[in-house]
Amino acid sequence: SVSSSATAESIETTYKRDGVLVIDEILSAEVIYELREWCLESTIWHDMKKTYMGSYLVDGFSHPLLFNVARSMQKKFTFLRGLEMVQLWAYNYEPRSPSGISLHADSAKVNINIWITPDSANLDPFSGGLVVYTRRPFGNETFTQSQDPEFGRSFLAGHRHLNFTVPHKQNRAVIFDSELWHETDDLWFKPGHENRRINLTFLFGRSGLSDDSIRAKHHR
């Protein structure tokens, strides 16, 4: 984990070494509050799944603060410079969902995932976050394969890798190479609308899995 006061050099070194970076207190308390209130009160959630709801840039997930955050990240992190933000979304989970987004890889250069739900809502402080595996699909995989959990598990079983399991924490950012296999960790949150686990995701830069992958995200 890298604190928000870490030097630009140490952040760059950690990201280049691991492909995964964790930074706490990434946003101001005021920004977290504003975005959380907006997510809880707005009617932008149109992608309905069994245990969660999704909202995307084309659905109205476009609060001005989100674009300010994206621009500030591009200024702060050298590995984002020159990369455009290609997608923006949020997922809003049932409080006691046995699982979230299953194993997959995304077609982008960098993924920034930020949790905005208070820590008091999480009944297991050691889980509820994200698992990132230090392997990516080879270049000949299709986007459909990169979204297939069974294919992903078979792929990982045949290739040496490490995994980073990052527990949920409000105002924590997990920044990683988007093509690395990753999945939501087990979730166990308090009941109640205000306790729903909400994550914000920013994707920067396009990678080689598929030109259609950013658009296809809506079907996952």
Side-chain angles (χ1 to χ4, degrees):
S1 178
V2 178
S3 73
S4 57
S5 61
T7 65
E9 183 179 1
S10 66
I11 289 173
E12 186 78 11
T13 299
T14 301
Y15 186 76
K16 284 185 175 180
R17 182 188 66 219
D18 300 330
V20 181
L21 183 64
V22 180
I23 302 180
D24 290 333
E25 306 303 322
I26 189 73
L27 304 178
S28 70
E30 293 78 13
V31 168
I32 285 287
Y33 176 83
E34 177 69 23
L35 290 176
R36 179 169 175 265
E37 289 297 299
W38 179 68
C39 286
L40 289 174
E41 296 174 4
S42 62
T43 56
I44 54 173
W45 307 99
H46 303 300
D47 186 15
M48 308 300 292
K49 304 297 185 182
K50 185 176 180 181
T51 58
Y52 65 90
M53 305 180 291
S55 182
Y56 306 86
L57 193 55
V58 296
D59 297 328
F61 189 67
S62 56
H63 193 295
L65 276 176
L66 295 167
F67 298 97
N68 290 342
V69 168
R71 285 191 291 269
S72 69
M73 296 291 182
Q74 289 169 312
K75 291 178 180 178
K76 182 177 180 66
F77 303 123
T78 58
F79 50 80
L80 290 180
R81 291 174 189 169
L83 299 180
E84 65 173 325
M85 186 180 72
V86 296
Q87 181 56 287
L88 176 63
W89 69 70
Y91 289 128
N92 183 330
Y93 295 84
E94 291 288 340
R96 298 198 176 189
S97 169
S99 62
I101 306 296
S102 55
L103 186 66
H104 68 285
D106 291 315
S107 182
K109 294 291 187 184
V110 181
N111 180 311
I112 298 182
N113 190 90
I114 302 174
W115 296 305
I116 62 174
T117 303
D119 298 341
S120 59
N122 188 5
L123 293 170
D124 182 358
F126 298 103
S127 69
L130 188 68
V131 183
V132 182
Y133 303 88
T134 58
R135 273 287 178 176
R136 70 186 70 188
F138 294 133
N140 58 344
E141 273 78 21
T142 66
F143 176 73
T144 300
Q145 287 175 314
S146 76
Q147 301 295 287
D148 183 346
E150 291 186 10
F151 177 86
R153 297 204 186 284
S154 176
F155 180 93
L156 289 172
H159 299 86
R160 293 180 62 184
H161 64 275
L162 301 174
N163 67 282
F164 289 85
T165 300
V166 184
H168 175 277
K169 188 176 190 299
Q170 187 183 42
N171 207 5
R172 168 173 284 171
V174 186
I175 304 172
F176 59 97
D177 180 337
S178 290
E179 283 195 347
L180 295 177
W181 292 100
H182 55 282
E183 62 185 332
T184 307
D185 198 5
D186 294 337
L187 306 178
W188 193 249
F189 282 65
K190 293 178 181 178
H193 179 67
E194 71 281 2
N195 294 315
R196 295 177 70 95
R197 176 193 184 273
I198 299 175
N199 68 279
L200 315 178
T201 298
F202 302 79
L203 292 189
F204 294 89
R206 296 188 184 276
S207 66
L209 280 175
S210 167
D211 288 339
D212 295 329
S213 63
I214 301 300
R215 294 188 292 276
K217 172 63 68 176
H218 297 275
H219 304 295
R220 216 175 30 79

